[in-house]
Amino acid sequence: MSHKPEPIFGTTLFDGDQAQKGYALNKMCYSFNSADNRNAFKADEEAYMVQYGLNAQQADAIRTRDVLGLIAAGGNVYYLAKFAGILGLDVQDLGAAQTGMTKEEFKAKLRAAAHQ
C-alpha cells in the first residue's frame, strides 16, 4: 500500500506521478547541459520541443516562460534550472517564482532561515 504525503498548500509535490507526467520536459531540460543543445533550442524552440515530444501544456509553459506552469506540468526544479539558465535566471529566481516573492525577498528569507 502506498502512502501519499499530505499536500503542502501552494506547492506541487514532485512524486512518481509528476515524474512520469514531466518525463519529456525534464529530458529536454537535461539536454541543456550541452552548449550545442542550448544553441539548437535558441535557434528553433518549437522544433526543439517537438523533438522531445512536449505536450501542449509543457510547450505553452516554455513559450510563456511560466516557471510555475512548468512545475505543474511535471517539471523538476533541478532540471528546470537548466532551462532557467538559458533565460539568465538562477535557482533563487525559481524559488522566488514558486513562493510568489521577489528575488530579494526570497534571498532575505533564506538568510533569515540560516540564522535561526
Side-chain angles (χ1 to χ4, degrees):
M1 174 164 68
S2 78
H3 171 71
K4 285 220 173 226
E6 291 295 317
I8 301 169
F9 178 76
T11 63
T12 300
L13 179 65
F14 190 80
D15 59 8
D17 292 337
Q18 283 296 98
Q20 287 182 337
K21 181 179 175 181
Y23 180 78
L25 172 63
N26 293 318
K27 185 175 179 180
M28 183 186 82
C29 289
Y30 181 79
S31 77
F32 298 144
N33 282 320
S34 159
D36 288 343
N37 289 339
R38 292 190 299 271
N39 291 333
F41 174 80
K42 289 178 198 175
D44 189 345
E45 292 185 17
E46 294 298 320
Y48 203 85
M49 289 188 290
V50 167
Q51 176 185 339
Y52 279 87
L54 269 62
N55 65 33
Q57 178 189 16
Q58 294 164 341
D60 188 53
I62 287 285
R63 284 184 205 105
T64 60
R65 309 312 200 232
D66 178 7
V67 174
L68 295 179
L70 290 167
I71 290 170
N76 178 294
V77 71
Y78 296 105
Y79 293 118
L80 293 177
K82 308 294 183 191
F83 172 63
I86 292 174
L87 306 177
L89 304 174
D90 60 27
V91 175
Q92 290 179 350
D93 291 302
L94 297 178
Q98 280 186 280
T99 58
M101 298 178 186
T102 67
K103 185 175 181 177
E104 288 309 312
E105 290 169 336
F106 185 73
K107 287 167 65 173
K109 183 176 180 172
L110 292 176
R111 283 191 294 271
H115 295 297
Q116 289 183 355

